[in-house]
Amino acid sequence: SLLLALLSWVLLYLHKRSKQLAAAEASYTAMFDNTLDAALLLYGNRIINCNSMATALLGYQRAAIIGQQLLYFLPERQPDGNPSDLKVAERFSSHLTLGEQDFFELQLRHAGNSLIDCDVALRTVSIGGHMRTFVSFRDITRRKQTELAQLHSILEASPDAVVLVDVAGCISFANHSAERMFNYPMADLLGMSVDALVPAHARGHHG
């Protein structure tokens, strides 16, 4: 009868759909577990899965990661001075379409409170018919340190006085030309507010 034919078709469709979802789940699991980068899976703003590379990167056991918000593993502010919660809200609310990727840098906080600079790849995936956010992290801390050391080396060779200032307005680097110009020992310059080096009327207007 027509009813039996319809029922048979529905059962066949559900069976095929179940096999497709199982294959997609197996493909995701293999990708997630075998990636060389630290990887987190988010549902909304909560972490629902992580791989072994993520536990190594963050310095936490898996049980301490699952269920947390990503913000728990970030410092209060990013290197550009912006609050971490605003950066996460901006990048994670971009409403990526399925399979589309976004790439950016993000600084994480290790369990031991050291900071980790990372390249981040963010994409939306479908798992079992449900939308999830897949985030991978690649540690670029050494690369950043090397780049900064190279910059310091170039600036140190400059005959002009050069200082670098952090987001709080404190001097994070000064070359010896600056030491001579401002007549402060290097130990005193580092960490000093840059406002101490400029006329009173110009204070607070430095970049």
Side-chain angles (χ1 to χ4, degrees), residues 95-166:
H95 305 294
L96 298 176
T97 58
L98 184 63
E100 185 181 3
Q101 295 193 75
D102 187 21
F103 300 94
F104 54 97
E105 290 187 6
L106 194 67
Q107 194 172 72
L108 304 179
R109 178 175 51 82
H110 186 269
N113 284 324
S114 59
L115 298 177
I116 312 163
D117 293 305
C118 292
D119 274 337
V120 178
L122 170 70
R123 66 180 177 271
T124 302
V125 296
S126 177
I127 302 173
H130 301 285
M131 302 300 288
R132 301 289 186 260
T133 303
F134 180 88
V135 193
S136 62
F137 301 87
R138 180 165 297 178
D139 187 350
I140 59 170
T141 305
R142 287 188 179 180
R143 190 189 83 192
K144 287 282 191 180
Q145 291 171 343
T146 299
E147 290 172 352
L148 185 61
Q150 291 172 342
L151 174 62
H152 286 180
S153 178
I154 294 170
L155 297 180
E156 182 56 53
S158 172
D160 299 320
V162 179
V163 297
L164 300 181
V165 181
D166 63 21

Side-chain angles (χ1 to χ4, degrees), residues 12-79:
L12 179 61
Y13 171 80
L14 291 176
H15 177 69
K16 291 177 65 177
R17 181 60 175 163
S18 176
K19 290 182 66 176
Q20 289 172 347
L21 293 176
E25 184 83 14
S27 175
Y28 149 74
T29 300
M31 175 186 69
F32 191 81
D33 291 338
N34 296 327
T35 179
L36 297 178
D37 295 324
L40 301 176
L41 188 68
L42 278 67
Y43 176 52
N45 60 2
R46 295 282 176 182
I47 299 169
I48 59 173
N49 202 358
C50 68
N51 65 0
S52 59
M53 299 297 289
T55 62
L57 180 68
L58 294 170
Y60 288 91
Q61 296 293 322
R62 185 175 186 276
I65 296 175
I66 302 301
Q68 292 285 359
Q69 295 188 27
L70 180 61
L71 280 175
Y72 181 81
F73 304 103
L74 306 183
E76 183 178 353
R77 292 184 177 275
Q78 291 296 303

